[in-house]
Amino acid sequence: DGGITQSPKYLFRKEGQNVTLSCEQNLNHDAMYWYRQDPGQGLRLIYYSQIVNDFQKGDIAEGYSVSREKKESFPLTVTSAQKNPTAFYLCASSFDGTRATYEQYFGPGTRLTVT
Amino acid sequence: AQKVTQAQTEISVVEKEDVTLDCVYETRDTTYYLFWYKQPPSGELVFLIRRNSFDEQNEISGRYSWNFQKSTSSFNFTITASQVVDSAVYFCALSDQIYNQGGKLIFGQGTELSVKP
């Protein structure tokens, strides 16, 4: 089955620690995206990547970092510089990130709690 | 600037009622795309529909229908004969060619629909 995998589903960390969220897709999509969702809020874009070895900041990139070394993988690191890291994180992909045409497909999400 | 507004934060209906979720958008581009997504309690967003700016035909898929009106910049979503399984948060989203390079989506705040038996 083609799809997007995010692991783990729940993640707990102590304040001051960096944490990396995994996102893998086997849809052969070029573009991948990371969103953050807070309770009762819409989705806000953190980073996106249109192609391997390239990525751009989204609207709320501060305190986050990403890499795109492989087409199928787009891990997100939440650093200790992120002031309010507790949130629900969603990864998505689309066939072609250079055009507005294509819909994005989402993974199941990772709920991160930092105490 | 681009913007998507879903004015209804929460809607509660009784099963079998029809319900309409409103979506109003803003963009300066003449070529753009509108989307609806469903987020059930499990959290994963499920793609429902894509509509481009040149196609104003309404679309029906089973109990779901969408009404796109460029004159009012609206892309409303109607569920006919609602069911408990329709309970979810629904998001409207916009993507355009000029201002959203990279295929980025701008999401509305979402409407939480609760269908009671």
Side-chain angles (χ1 to χ4, degrees):
Chain A
D1 280 334
I4 301 175
T5 303
Q6 289 186 246
S7 61
K9 190 165 180 63
Y10 298 95
L11 192 53
F12 298 88
R13 280 293 182 270
K14 295 287 188 186
E15 196 172 327
Q17 293 179 338
N18 291 354
V19 59
T20 298
L21 281 58
S22 166
C23 178
E24 304 275 332
Q25 55 100 358
N26 61 2
L27 299 167
N28 199 33
H29 284 173
D30 280 335
M32 296 187 75
Y33 308 81
W34 273 106
Y35 292 91
R36 170 184 172 135
Q37 186 179 24
D38 293 286
Q41 303 289 316
L43 280 69
R44 293 184 290 169
L45 182 66
I46 305 172
Y47 267 97
Y48 65 102
S49 168
Q50 294 177 263
I51 201 165
V52 176
N53 293 321
D54 185 53
F55 50 83
Q56 285 80 40
K57 293 181 179 179
D59 301 319
I60 55 165
E62 187 175 348
Y64 300 97
S65 66
V66 293
S67 63
R68 185 86 188 277
E69 297 174 4
K70 298 187 295 183
K71 187 175 184 177
E72 58 271 21
S73 179
F74 191 40
L76 172 75
T77 296
V78 184
T79 75
S80 56
Q82 168 49 232
K83 289 185 171 47
N84 296 297
T86 295
F88 186 52
Y89 291 88
L90 284 155
C91 178
S93 70
S94 71
F95 179 72
D96 181 351
T98 64
R99 300 169 63 182
T101 312
Y102 297 99
E103 63 272 19
Q104 294 180 17
Y105 291 92
F106 285 79
T110 291
R111 198 167 296 279
L112 173 65
T113 302
V114 177
T115 57
Chain B
Q2 304 82 4
K3 187 178 179 182
V4 175
T5 301
Q6 294 179 254
Q8 304 150 308
T9 306
E10 297 178 14
I11 299 176
S12 182
V13 299
V14 177
E15 209 170 18
K16 297 185 183 175
E17 282 186 37
D18 298 348
V19 57
T20 295
L21 310 182
D22 297 333
C23 173
V24 175
Y25 63 91
E26 294 176 31
T27 177
R28 295 181 199 165
D29 203 347
T30 55
T31 302
Y32 54 89
Y33 298 82
L34 296 162
F35 305 81
W36 274 96
Y37 285 86
K38 174 182 180 180
Q39 186 178 38
S42 60
E44 181 174 345
L45 266 74
V46 177
F47 166 71
L48 296 177
I49 189 171
R50 177 188 67 228
R51 172 65 74 216
N52 75 59
S53 53
F54 299 108
D55 182 3
E56 287 194 71
Q57 279 193 331
N58 291 335
E59 178 146 348
I60 298 174
S61 176
R63 295 183 299 106
Y64 294 172
S65 62
W66 291 268
N67 181 273
F68 176 32
Q69 292 198 335
K70 287 177 78 170
S71 60
T72 55
S73 297
S74 65
F75 186 43
N76 296 338
F77 174 30
T78 297
I79 302 174
T80 303
S82 60
Q83 301 176 0
V84 173
V85 293
D86 296 327
S87 296
V89 180
Y90 291 87
F91 290 97
C92 180
L94 163 73
S95 181
D96 62 35
Q97 202 63 47
I98 296 178
Y99 296 101
N100 281 357
Q101 295 300 316
K104 295 185 291 182
L105 294 176
I106 291 180
F107 285 87
Q109 293 296 93
T111 296
E112 182 171 4
L113 174 64
S114 176
V115 181
K116 302 190 186 309

